[in-house]
Amino acid sequence: MSGPRVNSFFLGNSSGVTFSVILSPGDEETGKLQVANCSGSKRAGDWNLDVTPGMNTSKVTVSLTRNLELCLPNATDCCPSPLCVLETLQVLACRGSVRLAQLLIQAEIFANSSFAGNVSENATIIPNQAFQPLGSCPCNLTAGACDVRCCCDLECTPDLKQLFNGSCFTGVFGGDVNPPFDQLCSSQSMEYTPEWFPFLCVQSSLDNTPFLGYFYHGSISTPKVPAFTIPLQTSPGRLFTGYRQGDPIITEENEYFTIPQQSLAGQCVGNAPVAYLQDFDVKCLTSVESYEEGLPHHVRINTGTADFIQQNVTYRTITDRGKFITESENLHPAEVLCQNVTFAEHYTFICKDKNIEQVNVTVFLGSLCDGEILTQRFTVEFLSLKSTNGEELPENTGYQVGKPVRAANINASDPLGTLNIWQPAGRGLCASATYTPVLFGVDSYSGCILEVGINEDCSLLRGNVTEKLNSLVQATHIGKRDNSSYSDPDDWVEIIRLDPFNSDTNVSTGNLKGFCPDIPANLNIHIMFAEVGAVQGIPQQQILAVQISYSTVLWQFQCGLSCGNSLSFLPITASVQFIKVPAQPPVRKTRYHRIYVEFDCNQNDVCLQQLFYPLTRFYTGEPYSQCLAKGLLLAFLVLLAVIMSNPWFSKLWNR
């Protein structure tokens, strides 16, 4: 201990237990402590022992009663030296003469130090930091002692500096508070030297350095957090022409209409703008302490033509809180405080062309108490307004990449279906694996591990594996579009299932244990889609067909040192592949096109058109005018050399 008081705890029933403290000086020759007995008391020297009994725990406090002030001349009851107390204590817990517990305490306590001299009225003058560094040795952190690796510390003797001379602190922390700057002519520390260096460098002393001095005197203004505002688009001569897919929805105050959404990091952002024709369904965790109200529901929304509509809000009360409360702490009922909060919000935007016709909001309210974790849910859905002839407008009729693929059981009473892949957790076993939906346009590959024994029946194993794989596809049809209606059979395509290959029952595999052929361990999901059009320049994609097939493997039990009753592992997988089908069959290449490819410089490594590459437009390393001038000069020199090498030129020259 280093303070005048220390606490400890005695675990167990303290009835009939006596506590005592004993000073235990060590033997000067051996250093061993004296053996303590149970005949001590609750006071030893300057030490007191206090015990606070409890039900199953007793608090034991050992405190020092002497004064810890450093002695002044002719003073008593004080500390004669800075090290005031250096003693060894033993705290014993005994029942009769039987020692139940023992605590050894080594007390090393220094005297309280305080300044008792006269305070000088002379204030320390601190130089202007703009022109002179405050500390010439920032690594000198300990007064009166040498700091290791601080070579600018004047308290380090030459002998001590030899121990760390090769590993001194560098930079400003090591004392180089005024380093040479890059523009100095004698500087060699530039990582990227410009072309003009050192012809245009600065020749100056280090007292004139850009690291010090004032660069700019300006007024200081308090920063303001800008709101989600955009320039007003209803200025004269430029009316608001409506929303396009992906445009943020605007409110009457010319700000973004925001709803909590998940960011790329997985956290919920409360002020995320809502994009036009982009549905989402997010869940956010919150508690009573971190709960915040969202955008008020009385805010009016811009329809897209500079008109504003009010939200139609419907409030409902949550009766089953178990679907939203994910964690609850055990608190006393009298101490729990609850408040009425929003559990879920469902937004439905009714759209027509580029405009918003109506906004319906359903708010689910419930009671959230202290210690509970709430899973809030926010959904946004855009629906197209049907025209007078009953045909639905084409907004958002296709899938968006990254959205779940819709599945259904058309002939069942509950038409809702699922199309999932595995999301293994822990050891990756199929028994503990969860599911995640198949996302449109995202090729996926997942799997899990099935435990199989050496005496496993092959027929039962095939059935078990097939059942595991079929649990991923609990549907008979897949929606062509993201907004396919359950009541319209034309909005769905039937899943084409290729049954797993079953081995012939007449084929005998012998009496081999741990050997099973034709195990359908791989599920292959092929989804074919195509672009069926575009809305406002954005392609609309629809699913054309879905096929499910199986791939079989040969399973063999893997033994270690012995094949006892141990288990082996069979990995089963599921893959999803999206195949894009062209809207129109590609034009068949004629013989002329096949021959013309030979002269296409983009499809061949060797191109005759680029024989004189530096003189052509393909070369972009220099301006074309310079390349042409250099080429003409080179041609002139070649022509001059040819002329001068001719024999008649030498005869003409001799004349």
Side-chain angles (χ1 to χ4, degrees), residues 311-326:
Q311 306 177 45
N312 303 322
V313 186
T314 303
Y315 293 94
R316 296 181 182 179
T317 303
I318 293 294
T319 56
D320 186 8
R321 298 172 65 250
K323 297 180 179 180
F324 296 90
I325 303 299
T326 57

Side-chain angles (χ1 to χ4, degrees), residues 536-555:
Q536 301 175 4
I538 300 176
Q540 301 296 309
Q541 303 174 114
Q542 292 186 7
I543 293 178
L544 303 180
V546 179
Q547 176 182 289
I548 295 178
S549 61
Y550 301 84
S551 301
T552 59
V553 297
L554 175 64
W555 174 78

Side-chain angles (χ1 to χ4, degrees), residues 75 268 420 458 504 512-513 542 546 557 577 631 655:
C268 284
N420 300 321
C458 293
D504 192 354
L512 296 177
K513 293 183 178 181
Q542 292 186 7
V546 179
F557 190 88
Q577 182 182 8
R655 292 181 182 179

Side-chain angles (χ1 to χ4, degrees), residues 168-179:
C168 298
F169 290 114
T170 59
V172 178
F173 185 71
D176 190 9
V177 295
N178 197 6

Side-chain angles (χ1 to χ4, degrees), residues 183-214:
Q183 293 78 13
L184 199 63
C185 296
S186 59
S187 177
Q188 302 293 334
S189 61
M190 297 187 64
E191 183 177 0
Y192 301 103
T193 305
E195 298 176 354
W196 47 262
F197 191 84
F199 299 103
L200 298 176
C201 59
V202 178
Q203 183 64 37
S204 174
S205 63
L206 292 180
D207 296 334
N208 183 18
T209 171
F211 294 106
L212 298 175
Y214 292 115

Side-chain angles (χ1 to χ4, degrees), residues 26-134:
D27 195 317
E28 296 181 356
E29 297 181 358
T30 62
K32 296 182 178 180
L33 299 177
Q34 298 179 1
V35 179
N37 50 35
C38 296
S39 61
S41 63
K42 293 187 177 181
R43 182 174 179 84
D46 296 329
W47 299 93
N48 279 343
L49 177 66
D50 296 326
V51 180
T52 304
M55 182 176 296
N56 292 319
T57 304
S58 299
K59 182 179 180 180
V60 181
T61 304
V62 179
S63 57
L64 181 66
T65 59
R66 65 172 297 177
N67 187 12
L68 293 178
E69 298 294 334
L70 198 61
C71 288
L72 297 175
N74 301 325
T76 59
D77 190 19
C78 56
C79 298
S81 61
L83 183 58
C84 188
V85 178
L86 182 60
E87 296 176 342
T88 303
L89 307 174
Q90 293 190 53
V91 180
L92 303 179
C94 302
R95 181 175 280 117
S97 60
V98 179
R99 185 166 51 189
L100 302 179
Q102 181 179 4
L103 177 64
L104 182 64
I105 302 175
Q106 178 70 36
E108 183 178 355
I109 305 175
F110 290 84
N112 294 333
S113 60
S114 61
F115 182 74
N118 297 325
V119 179
S120 176
E121 296 295 335
N122 297 329
T124 303
I125 300 176
I126 299 178
N128 191 344
Q129 297 305 294
F131 302 102
Q132 183 178 354
L134 177 62

Side-chain angles (χ1 to χ4, degrees), residues 557-610:
F557 190 88
Q558 301 294 331
C559 292
L561 297 178
S562 62
C563 291
N565 294 326
S566 59
L567 296 175
S568 181
F569 299 105
L570 171 62
I572 55 179
T573 61
S575 63
V576 180
Q577 182 182 8
F578 286 85
I579 304 172
K580 186 175 182 180
V581 179
Q584 295 180 355
V587 180
R588 184 178 179 182
K589 289 185 178 182
T590 61
R591 183 174 180 272
Y592 168 76
H593 287 92
R594 291 196 297 268
I595 296 176
Y596 185 74
V597 172
E598 300 176 2
F599 304 97
D600 189 357
C601 297
N602 296 327
Q603 302 186 24
N604 293 278
D605 296 333
V606 180
C607 184
L608 295 179
Q609 288 86 340
Q610 298 181 3

Side-chain angles (χ1 to χ4, degrees), residues 240-275:
F240 199 95
T241 58
Y243 295 103
R244 297 185 60 184
Q245 186 172 3
D247 290 344
I249 296 178
I250 311 302
T251 63
E252 185 180 10
E253 289 78 14
N254 200 36
E255 297 182 351
Y256 291 150
F257 181 72
T258 59
I259 296 176
Q261 301 177 44
Q262 280 187 344
S263 64
L264 295 178
Q267 299 177 346
C268 284
V269 180
N271 55 353
V274 177

